[in-house]
Amino acid sequence: MKISPKKIPSIVKNIWFRLIENNFEAYLVGGCVRDLTLNLKPKDWDITTNAQPEEIQKIFPNSFYENRFFTVGVKTKSDDSALKVIEITTFRLEGKYSDFRHPDEVKFAQTLKEDLKRRDFTINALALNKNFEVIDYFDGLNDLKKRLIKTVGNPEERFREDPLRMIRAIRLACQLDFEIEKKTFETIKELANFIQLIAKERVKDELIKILLSSEAVKGIELLRESNLLLELIPELIRCYNVGQNKHHKYDVYTHLLKSFEYAVKKNYSLEVRLAALFHDIGKPLTKSGEGPDCTFYNHEIVGAKMTRQILQRLRFSKKIIDKVVHLVKNHMFYLEIDKVTMSAVRRLVHRLGLENLEDFFKLREADRIGSGVQKAVPYRLRYLKYLIHKSQIKPITPQELKINGNDVMEKLNIPSGPKVGWFLKILLNEVIDDPQKNNREYLIKRLLELNQLSDEELKLLSQKGEEKIREIEKNIDLELKSKFRI
Ligand code: ATP
Ligand code: MG
């Protein structure tokens, strides 16, 4: 199989062929060859070579050496994140990882074949030679055609060497929408507890890729079926088959997965996806009674605590944790819309945070669709959104003017009293019609003109202005109502 050279950016080709011109063997390798074969855009470009790290560095002065893995990163001038650094790795053998984090020693290999043999999956053990032909020692092309993730060599050995490969298998199955080959998958099931040996940060990075992929639901199910979920998020497994009351069609686990499915389908953020997946995770612990009338009091409070524990254990960033916990904790927010006051609405907005409202409504929607009951956005929810928007509208008052009552009294030399208010209201009306007029110089000049009018005239003008302001506010409200179909 040949790959069109046009598919490879010249930055990559230049670096690759500089090695060849210097009489070294060099190949594109791994994920980028897999993606080229599948006609996908590679996320990064890796080169493997028989040149030693010092030799590579001599050819590329603008490079840095990652000692542990014999990898030299060549910095380029590209802004494309996939091309900023091209990694060149000397042929190497599988290292022995007694702590499962850092190889005890990494040995160089002599040949490309040896290097490909230590790679995780057959579809990742492909290389591209200088004639743009795919080199395939482990039947990777055939597995690409069959859309299969399969370890190079014996799965048990390969997963024992590096248990992170188990979750990588699931991550790739999600990103590529592939199946995991049967024996490979059976072995993950058997060795799932080995994942505990891996640094949580590395596990988290793979997990995030699973959660953000379009096949994320399949990912969660694969994690569950492979026993990895039991190792990583046992709290979710405890929701499995936990029955709910009459307001729900599904058990807790299925409901969480369906909510998550909606968040994935709508391409919501990582935080909203996590909140959808965890929002009812406190239910098994708070369940009281059985059957159609069982209850789950305070499940959102318990669930928020559990969510924090889970995400901390998995080493998510504080920013992500705080956001997801906040969403889970308040996902039941509720207002009795027929009795509610505007100040109660404002208190709610304050509690949820204006900047989070959008995400709360996304979560609410995922929760509702995930319950499998009703489809359309219900009137109550639309009314709540309307109230929240309404509570954020600032009333039109003379405070918006660039002058105030003191200025009026001072400039016109009049005492405080209703007349001061009349002036301000008249000016406010002029400013609403033409915001340019809202500057001190103009307003003071205009004030002196208005001062020529009689009290009767001023009072009348001010009343007209007041009516106009009410009219504008009414229209804003009508617009909001029609926006939310109230
Ligand atoms: P992506 O598209 O996310 O970049 P990738 O397959 O390229 O996926 P990388 O982490 O970039 O993944 O790794 C590059 C290559 O290095 C892989 O294709 C594989 O050949 C090899 N590799 C990565 N991690 C492992 C591992 N844990 N064990 C064995 N080989 C690995
Ligand atoms: Mg890659």
Side-chain angles (χ1 to χ4, degrees), residues 31-32 43-44 46:
C32 65
K43 285 180 219 61
D44 46 33
D46 296 310

Side-chain angles (χ1 to χ4, degrees), residues 29-32 34-35 42-44 46 94 118-121 124-125 158 162 164-165 168 171-172 175 202 206 209:
V29 71
C32 65
R34 174 196 76 213
D35 290 346
K43 285 180 219 61
D44 46 33
D46 296 310
E94 174 64 38
R118 58 111 184 152
R119 292 179 182 268
D120 47 8
F121 305 109
N124 282 348
R158 304 312 312 281
D162 181 1
L164 185 74
R165 290 170 186 155
R168 278 178 61 86
R171 187 259 280 185
L172 286 164
Q175 288 183 329
R202 295 176 72 201
E206 295 295 332
K209 288 180 186 174

Side-chain angles (χ1 to χ4, degrees), residues 121 123 147-149 166-181 185 210 213 215-216 218-219 222:
F121 305 109
I123 59 167
R147 304 178 75 80
L148 275 185
I149 314 279
M166 299 191 287
I167 191 162
R168 278 178 61 86
I170 292 176
R171 187 259 280 185
L172 286 164
C174 288
Q175 288 183 329
L176 301 170
D177 199 8
F178 275 30
E179 299 293 310
I180 299 174
E181 181 266 337
F185 194 68
I210 293 173
S213 78
E215 298 301 317
K218 163 172 151 176
L222 283 175

